[in-house]
């Protein structure tokens, strides 16, 4: 047994620095890529100067003044809270429905047409109907966004449930795992790649729909502000608000999502 | 129930399966087991031996409660709900949990905090407690599966060809390890195998199954304690086994 232990130990030590170098390289690539885009934008804006196509520096100035006045942080925070609320609502409800449909063939056959129906209702229709039926309030806004996302989560999680390995469930049954242990140690780790896929596509979709919701029936948030600046033809402000939000999302991706994913899949990485 | 005067009877495994059949994809019914009856005494190590595909694994799945679509009855040893230590054909460790987590997760609540040092040491896994299953060789993963099965202090140990697809020296080393940890805390054990040498080395009794639909052809008792079973004795046992079951060629 001794030789096996050292052998595996060495592989581990070798793989970690290589991993670090790869991560450093990839972040360098991200920075470089954005720098090139910025330069191209600046050159284009200098060659064709126009009020409707501001240079990056003007956008930055607008961003700073809007931040100083407190407007941008306020609206950004409101939008972020709506995105987060709709996201968790959609993920939880969608996952539960998806797992149920994936594990019950009859229920899946019955509800599949409903799913197709909801997948194909335009976001705008759901939002308008939610505002008409439930009033111009926060619950209707967040609910409408969640309802738009739920069918996508259901489809992904249903696939994930179909891909479950029944032998793990049998092992858990023989060893009498409790319900919570089965969820934490058997079900969720198997569904993890599907949860990750659903969340990835989820956040970007939800943020786009939240803007529409804010534009149509809220008096704050980035969507409301963009509508305002649209009426003023203030493109610099529109871009400042958009980029600020995108930057926040990028930050969350790099600081929260990727390390989390790294931790939850380390058993797979180390095996390689 | 353990204090009952008939505790000995309750500690015995009784299998009485009238009939078990599968429906194949083209609608035909395949009978796998018919009138399969055998018993395993308390703390006896029994092997089920039979040609491949005869329904050995199906029998084990019925005992494990994973297949309830059969006619007949099964009585497991121990209390109302027998604690079953199982080693499946594949190790079936959770790949996303370490070796130690895999073992601890299987423990019933009252054993959750148990000290597993001795068990891991006996199985040579002390240095591998924090390893993920994918970092282990198949032989080591099988050891971890055996550790999990024994850690729960089972009422019955059920093993489904736990040494298959290992190279012979590794398999032999693992057989010795299994015997060692099992004899530390003997329990009623039933192992499925198609390897006669393995059965002669490990068991007190060999239950020989027929081809499909499986029923018991006969049993072969080995009363000699395991430590006296040297190569010569095993060869003699093999010969007398073959004499008794002369009709069955494909077993040896």
């Amino acid at each position: 047994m001794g030789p096996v232990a050292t052998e595996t130990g060495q592989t581990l030590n070798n793989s970690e620095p290589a991993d670090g170098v790869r991560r450093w390289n990839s972040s360098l690539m991200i920075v470089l890529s954005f720098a090139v885009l910025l330069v191209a934008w600046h050159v284009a804006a200098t060659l064709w100067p126009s009020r409707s196509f501001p240079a990056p520096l003007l956008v930055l100035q607008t961003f700073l003044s809007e931040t100083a006045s407190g407007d941008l942080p306020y609206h950004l925070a409101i939008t972020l809270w709506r995105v987060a609320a709709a996201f968790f609502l959609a993920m939880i409800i969608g996952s539960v429905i998806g797992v149920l449909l994936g594990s019950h063939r009859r229920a899946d056959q019955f509800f599949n047409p409903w799913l197709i129906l909801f997948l194909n209702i335009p976001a705008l229709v759901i939002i308008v109907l939610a505002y008409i039926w439930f009033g111009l309030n926060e619950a209707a806004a967040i609910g409408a966004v969640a309802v738009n996302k739920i069918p996508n989560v259901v489809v992904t999680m249903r696939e994930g449930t179909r891909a479950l390995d029944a032998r793990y469930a049998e092992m858990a049954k023989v060893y009498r795992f409790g319900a919570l242990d089965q969820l934490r140690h058997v079900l969720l780790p198997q569904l993890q790649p599907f949860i990750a896929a659903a969340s990835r596509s989820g956040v970007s979709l939800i943020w786009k729909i939240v803007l529409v919701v804010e534009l149509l029936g809220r008096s704050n948030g980035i969507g409301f502000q963009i509508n305002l600046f649209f009426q003023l033809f203030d493109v610099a402000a529109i871009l400042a608000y958009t980029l600020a939000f995108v930057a926040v999302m990028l930050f969350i991706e790099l600081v929260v999502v990727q390390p989390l994913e790294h931790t939850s899949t380390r058993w797979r990485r180390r095996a390689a | 129930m353990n204090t009952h005067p008939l505790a000995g009877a309750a500690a015995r495994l009784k299998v009485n399966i009238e009939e078990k059949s599968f429906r194949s994809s083209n609608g035909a019914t395949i009978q796998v087991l018919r009138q399969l009856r055998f018993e395993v005494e308390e703390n006896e190590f029994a092997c089920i031996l039979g040609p491949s595909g005869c329904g050995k694994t199906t029998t084990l799945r019925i005992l494990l409660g994973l297949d309830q679509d059969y006619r007949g009855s099964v009585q497991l040893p121990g209390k109302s709900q027998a604690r079953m230590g199982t080693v499946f054909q594949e190790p079936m460790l959770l790949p996303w949990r370490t070796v130690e987590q895999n073992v601890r997760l299987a423990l019933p609540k009252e054993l959750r905090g148990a000290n597993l040092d001795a068990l891991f040491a006996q199985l040579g896994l002390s240095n591998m407690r924090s390893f993920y299953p994918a970092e282990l060789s198949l032989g080591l993963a099988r050891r971890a599966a055996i550790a999990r099965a024994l850690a729960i202090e089972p009422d019955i140990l059920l093993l489904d060809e736990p040494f298959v697809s290992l190279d012979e020296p590794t398999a032999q080393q693992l057989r010795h390890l299994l015997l060692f940890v099992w004899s530390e805390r003997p329990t009623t054990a039933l192992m499925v195998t198609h390897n006669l040498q393995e059965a002669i080395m490990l068991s007190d009794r060999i239950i020989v199954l027929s081809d499909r639909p499986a029923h018991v052809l006969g049993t072969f008792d080995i009363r000699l304690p395991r430590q006296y079973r040297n190569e010569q004795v095993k060869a003699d046992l093999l010969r007398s086994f073959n004499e008794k079951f002369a009709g069955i060629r494909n077993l040896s």
Side-chain angles (χ1 to χ4, degrees), chain B residues 49-183:
Chain B
L49 188 75
S52 55
C54 77
K56 302 189 292 289
T57 298
T58 306
T59 310
L60 220 50
R61 288 178 60 83
I62 288 176
L63 296 185
L64 288 170
L66 296 175
D67 195 332
Q68 298 184 335
D69 180 26
Y70 67 96
R71 286 199 297 120
S73 67
V74 163
Q75 187 201 311
L76 291 166
K79 289 147 268 169
S80 55
Q81 270 213 320
R83 211 182 271 169
M84 295 175 291
T86 312
V87 180
F88 299 90
Q89 242 173 60
E90 304 287 319
M92 293 322 293
L93 301 166
L94 298 171
W96 39 84
R97 294 290 179 262
T98 62
V99 168
E100 174 151 9
Q101 286 170 332
N102 263 289
V103 173
R104 286 209 183 272
L105 277 170
L107 295 177
K109 276 201 183 61
E110 65 269 22
L111 290 175
R112 272 292 157 90
N115 184 341
L116 298 172
D117 295 352
L119 182 66
F120 280 124
Q122 282 168 352
L123 286 164
L125 289 169
S126 299
N127 297 326
M128 275 145 248
R129 295 164 80 139
S130 60
F131 279 36
Y132 288 98
E135 298 171 289
L136 304 177
S137 65
L138 180 59
L140 286 172
R142 288 259 166 81
R143 284 193 213 180
I146 292 173
R148 177 173 63 186
L150 291 165
I152 67 167
E153 299 180 0
D155 295 312
I156 184 168
L157 193 60
L158 296 161
L159 309 134
D160 190 359
E161 303 206 38
F163 310 117
V164 81
S165 62
L166 290 173
D167 57 284
E168 190 44 38
T170 310
Q172 191 63 14
Q173 189 192 19
L174 218 55
R175 284 177 202 127
H176 283 295
L177 271 178
L178 174 69
L179 269 189
F180 174 60
V181 282
W182 175 75
S183 49

Side-chain angles (χ1 to χ4, degrees), chain A residues 206-220:
Chain A
I206 282 174
W207 128 253
K208 287 164 193 170
I209 301 173
V210 164
L211 289 206
V212 181
V213 168
E214 289 173 344
L215 185 142
L216 286 177
R218 301 274 75 208
S219 53
N220 48 22

Side-chain angles (χ1 to χ4, degrees), chain A residues 30 34 245-255:
Chain A
I30 292 172
F34 276 122
F245 187 87
V246 172
V248 170
M249 293 319 288
L250 198 67
F251 179 78
I252 292 176
E253 162 84 24
L254 288 177
V255 174

Side-chain angles (χ1 to χ4, degrees), chain A residues 6-190:
Chain A
T6 32
E7 221 179 81
T8 327
Q10 271 167 6
T11 347
L12 285 185
N13 291 341
N14 288 344
S15 73
E16 260 155 34
D19 219 38
V21 169
R22 213 176 308 129
R23 287 184 79 189
W24 173 244
N25 272 341
S26 79
S27 25
L28 199 73
M29 197 56 110
I30 292 172
V31 172
L32 190 74
S33 159
F34 276 122
V36 168
L37 188 66
L38 262 181
V39 170
W41 174 10
H42 181 78
V43 169
T46 324
L47 287 177
W48 301 282
S50 152
R51 192 173 127 71
S52 58
F53 187 33
L57 263 175
L58 183 64
V59 174
L60 183 68
Q61 274 164 10
T62 318
F63 168 78
L64 290 177
S65 65
E66 286 287 320
T67 308
S69 74
D71 277 355
L72 191 140
Y74 167 70
H75 293 291
L76 187 66
I78 293 275
T79 299
L80 270 176
W81 132 252
R82 284 183 189 133
V83 169
F87 173 78
F88 285 110
L89 205 61
M91 285 303 291
I92 291 167
I93 296 174
S95 297
V96 170
I97 298 175
V99 169
L100 286 179
L101 292 190
S103 47
H104 295 88
R105 222 168 51 84
R106 299 293 293 229
D108 185 34
Q109 283 172 340
F110 183 82
F111 287 109
N112 197 38
W114 296 24
L115 193 61
I116 294 169
L117 181 78
F118 273 95
L119 271 171
N120 286 293
I121 296 179
L124 190 62
V125 175
I126 292 177
I127 295 165
V128 169
L129 287 180
Y131 278 147
I132 292 173
W133 288 338
F134 305 109
L136 290 172
N137 54 51
E138 204 62 37
I142 290 169
V145 178
V147 168
N148 271 298
K149 175 60 189 165
I150 285 171
N152 292 310
V153 180
V154 170
V155 169
T156 311
M157 297 310 288
R158 187 177 60 181
E159 282 318 305
T161 309
R162 285 174 182 160
L164 288 178
D165 190 337
R167 294 176 306 167
Y168 290 123
E170 290 183 343
M171 186 278 292
K173 190 180 170 206
V174 168
Y175 282 110
R176 307 218 175 89
F177 279 34
L180 201 66
D181 276 349
Q182 279 194 44
L183 184 71
R184 269 188 61 199
H185 303 291
V186 182
L187 189 61
L188 286 181
Q190 286 189 81

